[in-house]
Amino acid sequence: MNIVAIAGRPNVGKSTLFNRLTQTRDAIVNEEAGTTRDRQYGKVDWGGREFSIIDTGGWVINSDDVFESEINKQVKIAVEEADVILFTVDITTGIVDLDDDVAKILRRSKKPVILVANKADTYEAHPLAAEFYSLGLGDPFPISAINGSYTGDLLDRIVEILPSPTVEQIEDDLPRIAIVGRPNAGKSSLINSFIGEERHIVTDIAGTTRDSIYTKYNKFGLNFYLVDTAGIRKKNKVNEDLEYYSVIRSIRAIENSDVCVLMLDALRGIESQDINIFSIIQKNSKGLLVCVNKWDLVEDKSQIVIKTYLNAIRERFAPFTDFPVLFISATTKQRIFKVLEQVKEVYDNRRRRIPTAKLNEIMLPIIENTPPPAWKGKYIKIKYIMQLPDTVIPSFVFYCNLPQWIKDPYKRFLENKLRENWNLSGTPIHVFIREK
């Protein structure tokens, strides 16, 4: 899947544009410069074409010089990783020095750039965009992110210049496993532990996107692709923003996988970066296995400590809590084979099919004992349940007389009962309520 990055100096409306294009309110919008600290990630579907979009915020102002180096650093990474750059400028203030600095970097790159002149809230403001021709990045595109005018035309233009997705040259029926996590969590060590010993494999096959590498793995009766991104392992990037770099690379790996192994550092616990990567896995409906790495370095391995770790992980990742957690050491190869076994189980759970007769036999008595709450004196009766065929993750339809009155808490109750009766660990599931 293609990646589009929104770049530009603070307060030009990057987060507002992100929210407009993704049709969400995920990015916090504020008049204060530097509000966006964590990079926002979302998906856009336009004209049948889907792509990922990143708001490259996160600049902290200590002094003008530090600020300038930060903005250059962010833009350079965006330029290197994205397929299209939306260079956002403010039509009401015109060109400022920081715009010139960003434009210099973008002119040197070979990436397609769309110059977005934001805050053109009225048609009378459009002629002001002519000033931005001096940046040497082609025609300015006047829009208003806040009221949405001309954003449809902008999306048409993005889709027009996005590179065509290439056809994958890999066996589609094999599971694809992505190892993701923060820098220094032990991703490379785990991959090396998998493929470093004497082996029947290993062949690297370039995938749909530039940096996703498929490594075929077929030991111990297991056969799958490890989806790795070269950038996760680069050591020469220490002068760049490694956290941002790892997230943008992880996005590519996650989108090209079936199951994600999220590596946590046992010595550092759960950090905001881990939550960010978890949310990307969730948004893409991928299978999940959490590995707490560097367990060999933890001195107290008592059941109380293990339980504390497990509770903390489930709490931070709620409401999705039904996924396996393993305590491993990639360097000493402790429980490495268990990781492979669990990955296979999560993949099988994603593809699980439950016969309609069995679904109704088990779920209908549960629903009868705990029916949906009545609404204004009307009783809601669920009569029939089936699993939808040919879906990416298990999806269930509950047919009833008044579907509009069944709320999210009861849907979560139904999901929990499905998980109690069938092994769906590690995979998200969809619950739909329809009228019979």
Side-chain angles (χ1 to χ4, degrees), residues 213-230:
I213 308 278
Y214 293 92
T215 303
K216 192 171 182 182
Y217 180 100
N218 58 357
K219 285 192 284 188
F220 312 116
L222 297 166
N223 197 7
F224 55 81
Y225 284 105
L226 280 170
V227 184
D228 185 26
T229 50

Side-chain angles (χ1 to χ4, degrees), residues 19-35:
N19 287 346
R20 173 66 59 183
L21 297 184
T22 57
Q23 297 183 331
T24 65
R25 291 186 179 177
D26 289 351
I28 299 167
V29 178
N30 196 294
E31 290 296 319
E32 189 182 330
T35 299

Side-chain angles (χ1 to χ4, degrees), residues 34 47 54 71 77 93 163 174 199 230 233 250 275 294 358 360:
I54 296 165
I71 194 168
I77 299 170
T93 61
L174 289 185
R199 57 204 185 226
R233 289 189 278 179
S250 295
I275 306 292
K294 306 184 185 177
K358 201 74 183 162
N360 286 275

Side-chain angles (χ1 to χ4, degrees), residues 210-400:
R210 213 161 21 89
D211 285 308
S212 284
I213 308 278
Y214 293 92
T215 303
K216 192 171 182 182
Y217 180 100
N218 58 357
K219 285 192 284 188
F220 312 116
L222 297 166
N223 197 7
F224 55 81
Y225 284 105
L226 280 170
V227 184
D228 185 26
T229 50
I232 286 176
R233 289 189 278 179
K234 281 186 181 173
K235 294 290 183 287
N236 61 339
K237 299 291 178 186
V238 288
N239 61 331
E240 290 181 353
D241 186 336
L242 274 177
E243 290 212 343
Y244 176 54
Y245 204 78
S246 71
V247 166
I248 204 167
R249 295 274 181 155
S250 295
I251 289 167
R252 289 195 188 276
I254 290 165
E255 288 177 343
N256 291 323
S257 70
D258 296 305
V259 178
C260 297
V261 178
L262 175 55
M263 303 284 285
L264 302 180
D265 188 329
L267 304 178
R268 295 179 65 174
I270 305 165
E271 298 182 343
S272 62
Q273 180 82 341
D274 301 315
I275 306 292
N276 285 345
I277 294 173
F278 170 77
S279 70
I280 295 166
I281 295 168
Q282 281 289 92
K283 281 177 182 172
N284 284 279
S285 297
K286 302 301 182 183
L288 174 66
L289 165 65
V290 173
C291 287
V292 182
N293 191 28
K294 306 184 185 177
W295 194 240
D296 55 316
L297 303 178
V298 175
E299 290 177 13
D300 185 358
K301 297 183 176 70
S302 65
Q303 284 303 311
I304 296 170
V305 172
I306 290 172
K307 199 171 180 184
T308 306
Y309 264 98
L310 287 172
N311 289 342
I313 290 167
R314 307 262 186 230
E315 205 174 285
R316 295 294 298 276
F317 291 167
F320 180 46
T321 56
D322 185 17
F323 51 81
V325 180
L326 290 177
F327 295 86
I328 69 163
S329 168
T331 50
T332 65
K333 301 188 179 175
Q334 181 184 8
R335 298 191 189 89
I336 290 298
F337 187 62
K338 189 73 178 165
V339 174
L340 298 174
E341 284 181 331
Q342 287 283 3
V343 158
K344 178 73 168 66
E345 188 178 317
V346 169
Y347 178 73
D348 290 342
N349 292 345
R350 264 172 72 83
R351 295 162 64 102
R352 189 172 300 287
R353 296 284 308 151
I354 301 169
T356 303
K358 201 74 183 162
L359 260 178
N360 286 275
E361 179 191 324
I362 290 175
M363 290 299 293
L364 286 180
I366 293 170
I367 292 165
E368 207 169 301
N369 291 332
T370 317
W375 184 266
K376 294 183 179 176
K378 292 180 179 176
Y379 291 98
I380 301 163
K381 290 181 182 172
I382 294 174
K383 299 283 190 185
Y384 182 71
I385 309 147
M386 67 173 284
Q387 183 176 356
L388 291 173
D390 305 321
T391 51
V392 177
I393 60 173
S395 302
F396 302 91
V397 182
F398 291 76
Y399 290 99
C400 72

Side-chain angles (χ1 to χ4, degrees), residues 114-228:
I114 300 174
L115 181 55
V116 181
N118 191 25
K119 304 191 185 178
D121 299 340
T122 62
Y123 189 71
E124 287 71 32
H126 283 218
L128 300 173
E131 178 187 354
F132 296 103
Y133 276 105
S134 65
L135 293 173
L137 290 167
D139 296 336
F141 212 109
I143 66 149
S144 171
I146 203 150
N147 67 31
S149 61
Y150 290 90
T151 49
D153 295 342
L154 174 61
L155 284 163
D156 286 340
R157 178 72 184 130
I158 293 169
V159 169
E160 191 183 307
I161 65 174
L162 275 176
S164 303
T166 52
V167 180
E168 296 176 31
Q169 302 297 315
I170 65 169
E171 299 169 46
D172 274 333
D173 56 342
L174 289 185
R176 303 174 204 179
I177 314 304
I179 316 293
V180 294
R182 276 188 292 105
N184 220 19
K187 299 181 294 293
S188 305
S189 303
L190 185 62
I191 291 166
N192 291 340
S193 294
F194 285 157
I195 66 177
E197 44 200 90
E198 197 177 322
R199 57 204 185 226
H200 305 141
I201 44 137
V202 156
T203 51
D204 286 348
I205 303 164
T208 48
T209 49
R210 213 161 21 89
D211 285 308
S212 284
I213 308 278
Y214 293 92
T215 303
K216 192 171 182 182
Y217 180 100
N218 58 357
K219 285 192 284 188
F220 312 116
L222 297 166
N223 197 7
F224 55 81
Y225 284 105
L226 280 170
V227 184
D228 185 26

